[in-house]
Amino acid sequence: MTPPTHKVTACVLLAASTLALVTLCTLQHAPMADTLVYRAEGAAAAAGGANLYGFTVTAWQLPATYPPFAALLFIPTTWLPLPVLKAVFLLGNVTLTAVLVHLSCRLAGLRPARATLCLITGGALWLEPVFQTLLFGQVNLALACLVLWSLTRGRGIALGIATGIKLTPAVFIAYLFLTGRRREAGYATAGFAATVAVGGLVLPYASWEFWTRRLYETGRVGKAWIVDNQSLQGLAARALHTTEPGLLWALPAAAVAAAGLYAATRPTRTDAEGITLTALTALLVSPISWSHHWVWCVPLLALLWASGHRRTTAAIALVFTARTMWLLPHAGALDLHLPWWQQPLASPYPLLGLAVVGAALRQPSASSSSASTIRYA
């Protein structure tokens, strides 16, 4: 049992970490740009959806990129004054960080005391992907929690709903299918199909526009070559000094997708390893994986800690805290002109992801214990 003084100390440290983060966001006048996009999507959906994919908001001219079903879920964001909405997203994401820490520990077979969970959450708020999610008012944490809960406790329907919101969780449906969990994969597929049907019934014009046209306009999401993009395409574009790496990205990405899913679905692989490897594979091969999409670093760190790799855990936590990509010149098109020695600093997450997948391929077997055993030779 955790002593009462330790519980109080842990709660105070979590509160102090949260207060420091809120203060920093306030002093920097954090625009929470993605929250503004969600609010605009909700307003467009409430108005019938005719202009759902025609507007842009904020100084960055950001458009809607999610399926129509997501826009329906964002309608309640229009009911609150903007300052209140930002506060809800900020504090909600702090809460979701705690939930993600809890789910990640449970996935890895860890059972830390509540005081320890508070301490870990306070530290996790400063991991760059988590911090950026809070800063932008993103939904990454909510989706990661939904996916993890569905894969460990649900029947797959929640995974299908997550896929209907942002599509990328679909890779976990493939994971379920390849690992023989066909019923769960079927439930997830049905859940996704239901979101498409709901979107089509309520917003027929927007649905037709999204599924026949907007889905394939990858440029709407953003510039693939900027340091914000921590996928293989971003790495290749910056390393080759080109905005369009083409097959020099697509072919390696296809190879990594096959290798990553192979490593994740080995019969001897634990479910915790498989889920984490699937997430990393998706982040690597996606055309764009913004740095805040890498909130899956939280399950990865829990997995490494549970397997006894304490030094590796600390080193990887440092990678996700250092923010090296933001220390480099990246205004305008400077991302495309970085010298060779700055390339690893510009692409720390994809390089780390490749190292993890490579390690899993070299030593694919798992021990009989509940803790995961991805080794690093």
Side-chain angles (χ1 to χ4, degrees):
M1 182 178 296
T2 305
T5 54
H6 291 181
K7 293 180 180 179
V8 172
T9 301
C11 291
V12 169
L13 290 175
L14 175 58
S17 183
T18 302
L19 180 61
L21 189 147
V22 171
T23 302
L24 181 61
C25 289
T26 302
L27 292 176
Q28 289 189 340
H29 303 288
M32 299 186 72
D34 288 313
T35 298
L36 299 181
V37 176
Y38 301 152
R39 194 168 192 251
E41 288 187 43
N51 192 43
L52 180 55
Y53 299 105
F55 70 80
T56 58
V57 294
T58 78
W60 298 280
Q61 299 296 301
L62 301 176
T65 58
Y66 292 0
F69 176 74
L72 294 174
L73 298 182
F74 293 144
I75 289 178
T77 64
T78 65
W79 302 342
L80 299 174
L82 187 56
V84 175
L85 179 64
K86 288 184 176 181
V88 168
F89 262 79
L90 185 59
L91 296 178
N93 273 327
V94 170
T95 302
L96 286 169
T97 302
V99 175
L100 181 60
V101 167
H102 169 69
L103 290 172
S104 298
C105 289
R106 188 171 68 181
L107 177 72
L110 299 170
R111 295 294 184 269
R114 290 184 181 179
T116 304
L117 285 173
C118 287
L119 288 174
I120 297 172
T121 300
L125 292 174
W126 299 95
L127 293 168
E128 191 272 346
V130 176
F131 179 81
Q132 291 291 93
T133 294
L134 273 67
L135 192 66
F136 288 120
Q138 254 282 348
V139 295
N140 303 308
L141 290 165
L143 291 176
C145 289
L146 195 59
V147 169
L148 270 184
W149 179 83
S150 182
L151 290 173
T152 57
R153 288 293 185 272
R155 291 186 175 181
I157 295 178
L159 172 58
I161 293 174
T163 304
I165 296 172
K166 204 174 179 180
L167 297 185
T168 48
V171 67
F172 293 100
I173 300 179
Y175 168 76
L176 290 175
F177 183 82
L178 292 172
T179 52
R181 296 162 65 176
R182 306 295 171 81
R183 177 172 295 183
E184 291 177 63
Y187 280 129
T189 302
F192 171 61
T195 67
V196 175
V198 170
L201 289 172
V202 182
L203 302 173
Y205 177 81
S207 294
W208 174 260
E209 183 179 8
F210 178 81
W211 295 109
T212 63
R213 177 184 170 193
R214 301 299 186 179
L215 174 61
Y216 312 102
E217 296 177 350
T218 55
R220 286 175 58 85
V221 181
K223 298 173 182 176
W225 44 268
I226 58 179
V227 294
D228 310 51
N229 183 19
Q230 292 290 301
S231 72
L232 287 178
Q233 181 172 212
L235 184 156
R238 290 186 293 271
L240 298 172
H241 308 293
T242 176
T243 59
E244 298 290 342
L247 290 178
L248 294 177
W249 157 70
L251 293 179
V256 170
L261 286 176
Y262 169 78
T265 57
R266 293 278 294 178
T268 51
R269 184 74 65 201
T270 67
D271 199 36
E273 289 176 334
I275 291 171
T276 305
L277 286 169
T278 300
L280 295 181
T281 300
L283 290 165
L284 286 169
V285 304
S286 176
I288 289 182
S289 292
W290 302 131
S291 69
H292 51 75
H293 292 166
W294 285 78
V295 293
W296 285 92
C297 66
V298 176
L300 173 63
L301 291 170
L303 200 60
L304 290 170
W305 184 270
S307 61
H309 298 291
R310 305 302 164 81
R311 292 181 180 179
T312 302
T313 305
I316 291 180
L318 180 61
V319 170
F320 283 107
T321 308
R323 296 158 166 79
T324 57
M325 72 285 284
W326 305 120
L327 301 178
L328 301 175
H330 57 274
L334 291 178
D335 316 60
L336 287 175
H337 304 287
L338 298 173
W340 66 268
W341 62 272
Q342 290 183 345
Q343 294 296 334
L345 300 177
S347 306
Y349 301 169
L351 291 175
L352 177 61
L354 288 172
V356 173
V357 172
L361 288 171
R362 289 196 305 272
Q363 297 179 329
S365 59
S367 70
S368 58
S369 65
S370 60
S372 51
T373 56
I374 296 178
R375 303 173 186 79
Y376 293 81

